[in-house]
Amino acid sequence: VSPGGVRLGTAALTTRGLGPHHFRQIALYLHRAINLAMDIQKQCGSKLLKDFVEVAKFNEDLKILASDVEDFASQFP
C-alpha cells in the first residue's frame, strides 16, 4: 500500500513563528521530495524499501534537498 498524503502539525509550526510564505516553502520541499522519490523508485526498478534505500544513498539531489531543509528548519526554535 502506498501512502496517500502528508500530515503536518500546523499548530506546532505557527507556534514556532512560521507564516504563510514559510508554508509555501514547505510545500515546495514536499514537492521536490515526492519527485525525487518517484525518480529513485524508477532507478531502483523495484518497490522494495531495501532497493529504494540503496539507490537513495547515492542520490546527490536528495542530499541537496536534505541540506536545504535543514538550513530552512534551523531558522526556527
Side-chain angles (χ1 to χ4, degrees):
V1 175
S2 295
V6 176
R7 181 181 166 102
L8 298 174
T10 56
L13 297 176
T14 57
T15 299
R16 287 173 174 78
L18 281 80
H21 62 285
H22 297 116
F23 282 92
R24 283 189 277 283
Q25 183 60 53
I26 292 168
L28 292 173
Y29 289 140
L30 289 169
H31 183 72
R32 281 173 62 188
I34 290 165
N35 286 329
L36 280 171
M38 291 188 316
D39 289 344
I40 292 168
Q41 190 168 12
K42 283 180 193 173
Q43 289 174 25
C44 72
S46 166
K47 293 198 178 218
L48 297 175
L49 180 59
K50 68 181 183 83
D51 296 334
F52 182 93
V53 169
E54 191 59 36
V55 173
K57 282 187 216 175
F58 303 102
N59 187 293
E60 291 302 315
D61 291 329
L62 190 58
K63 292 174 186 175
I64 292 167
L65 175 59
S67 176
D68 291 349
V69 169
E70 187 173 326
D71 290 344
F72 174 80
S74 68
Q75 301 174 61
F76 306 98

